[in-house]
Amino acid sequence: MAKQTISISVSGLRKSYKNKEVLKDVNFTVPSGTIYALLGSNGAGKTTIVKILSTLLKPDGGKISINDFDVVYQEELVRRCISLTGQFTAVDEVLTGRENLNLIGQLIRLPDVKRKTEGWLSFFDLQDAAAQRVSTYSGGMRRRLDIAMSLMVQPQVLFLDEPTTGLDPQNRIIMWELVKNLAKQGTTVLLTTQYLEEAEYLADNVAILHNGEILIEGTPQYLKEIIPGRGAQLNFQTEKQAENAMELLTKEGISVESIEPNLPSLEDVFLTLIKENKEAI
């Protein structure tokens, strides 16, 4: 089996603002073509990490690389292979959706701008509104256009800082599917989020960030399995069997259709770890 390449490598990352230590020895790696979610409350340090990875902010210490390029000493090379969609949409409301995409393509001197513009309009289901001014777009449409503009540069690594904040449930699900499809096409995605269900649905790996430190990371399934004492769930063939299970299971030899671990939700894991961390302080 071929060794999986690493798109993002972070080792010993530290950052302080004046006397406040925001990031404390943060370490993680993101394999190419995967989705990595930084999960944390407001003020945990998620956006600071994204700003450092995207060369918008200098770290105080540590070694950070994108596709083997150092974000401090090779920032121009890093910028050629990344794109960033921030918490707030950066679209021109006076222009149409198509004009926004065309403008980005022209600014970066992208070849075949027209074809790529139409391709992303189609990918994000914006063809019907392409000729309308963005001021008429819904929040979900603006967010999709915002990400489409980030993708015009064809990044190998895409940073999404709380991409579904403010979206209604329907548009949030649409956005999730779009992000999933980007990863399937080979784009490495690092996203920050406060929505636990978002991290659980999207991410190959999740890191829980609290007070500038990663408390734990792993697959959503692994994080659920580390919380002990949840017992098991028994599924019986009929409701009557379930009602009499405790009394008849041993005596009558009732067969159990399946036994599944009664795992906690990712929210349970998050809240438990945050509580334990506070108690340890």
Side-chain angles (χ1 to χ4, degrees):
M1 182 181 294
K3 184 178 179 182
Q4 193 169 23
T5 59
I6 299 298
S7 285
I8 303 172
S9 177
V10 177
S11 177
L13 173 58
R14 293 180 289 104
K15 181 64 181 179
S16 297
Y17 294 110
K18 295 184 178 179
N19 296 324
K20 180 176 175 57
E21 192 175 25
V22 178
L23 299 175
K24 313 167 187 177
D25 192 27
V26 173
N27 304 273
F28 64 89
T29 58
V30 183
S32 301
T34 65
I35 301 174
Y36 190 91
L38 282 174
L39 184 63
S41 307
N42 282 330
K46 304 187 301 297
T47 297
T48 299
I49 289 177
V50 170
K51 286 182 177 180
I52 291 172
L53 292 176
S54 55
T55 74
L56 297 177
L57 190 65
K58 299 290 186 185
D60 293 336
K63 182 171 178 58
I64 306 98
S65 63
I66 308 293
N67 288 354
D68 292 327
F69 298 127
D70 189 283
V71 299
V72 175
Y73 301 107
Q74 298 173 295
E75 58 182 14
E76 287 301 323
L77 293 174
V78 169
R79 289 171 184 164
R80 292 178 189 176
C81 59
I82 68 170
S83 193
L84 166 66
T85 297
Q87 293 184 31
F88 307 101
T89 54
V91 294
D92 190 323
E93 296 190 353
V94 175
L95 301 179
T96 67
R98 181 176 286 112
E99 288 170 342
N100 268 276
L101 291 173
N102 273 325
L103 177 61
I104 292 296
Q106 292 167 7
L107 288 174
I108 61 176
R109 298 179 180 178
L110 190 68
D112 203 2
V113 173
K114 182 177 180 180
R115 181 182 64 81
K116 290 174 181 176
T117 293
E118 297 307 314
W120 285 121
L121 287 170
S122 175
F123 184 87
F124 285 96
D125 195 23
L126 291 169
Q127 314 98 302
D128 292 344
Q132 298 175 17
R133 287 191 176 186
V134 174
S135 58
T136 67
Y137 282 19
S138 67
M141 293 168 67
R142 293 185 192 199
R143 200 53 166 159
R144 297 203 300 275
L145 178 63
D146 194 28
I147 296 180
M149 291 168 65
S150 297
L151 293 170
M152 284 290 286
V153 300
Q154 297 178 296
Q156 295 169 303
V157 179
L158 176 64
F159 300 110
L160 299 175
D161 194 9
E162 302 198 13
T164 62
T165 297
L167 297 186
D168 59 53
Q170 182 179 2
N171 277 299
R172 187 172 298 149
I173 292 171
I174 291 172
M175 189 64 67
W176 289 353
E177 294 305 320
L178 292 171
V179 173
K180 280 273 193 184
N181 286 335
L182 288 173
K184 288 178 181 178
Q185 294 179 8
T187 303
T188 303
V189 179
L190 184 144
L191 66 91
T192 71
T193 183
Q194 297 181 59
Y195 298 121
L196 296 110
E197 71 275 17
E198 182 164 277
E200 184 167 2
Y201 183 81
L202 282 177
D204 297 292
N205 287 287
V206 176
I208 294 179
L209 189 69
H210 181 64
N211 287 336
E213 297 180 286
I214 291 181
L215 301 183
I216 196 164
E217 67 172 337
T219 65
Q221 180 72 12
Y222 168 73
L223 296 187
K224 291 178 181 182
E225 291 173 349
I226 64 174
I227 303 297
R230 296 289 172 173
Q233 176 178 308
L234 304 181
N235 298 319
F236 297 92
Q237 293 177 344
T238 68
E239 184 177 350
K240 185 174 182 180
Q241 283 183 344
E243 292 173 352
N244 296 285
M246 296 304 294
E247 179 182 348
L248 300 176
L249 187 59
T250 302
K251 182 179 178 181
E252 302 295 334
I254 296 175
S255 62
V256 179
E257 188 175 276
S258 65
I259 299 177
E260 300 173 358
N262 190 16
L263 296 176
S265 67
L266 202 55
E267 182 175 4
D268 292 329
V269 175
F270 178 79
L271 294 175
T272 298
L273 290 173
I274 297 300
K275 180 180 179 181
E276 289 176 351
N277 184 262
K278 288 181 178 179
E279 291 174 350
I281 295 176

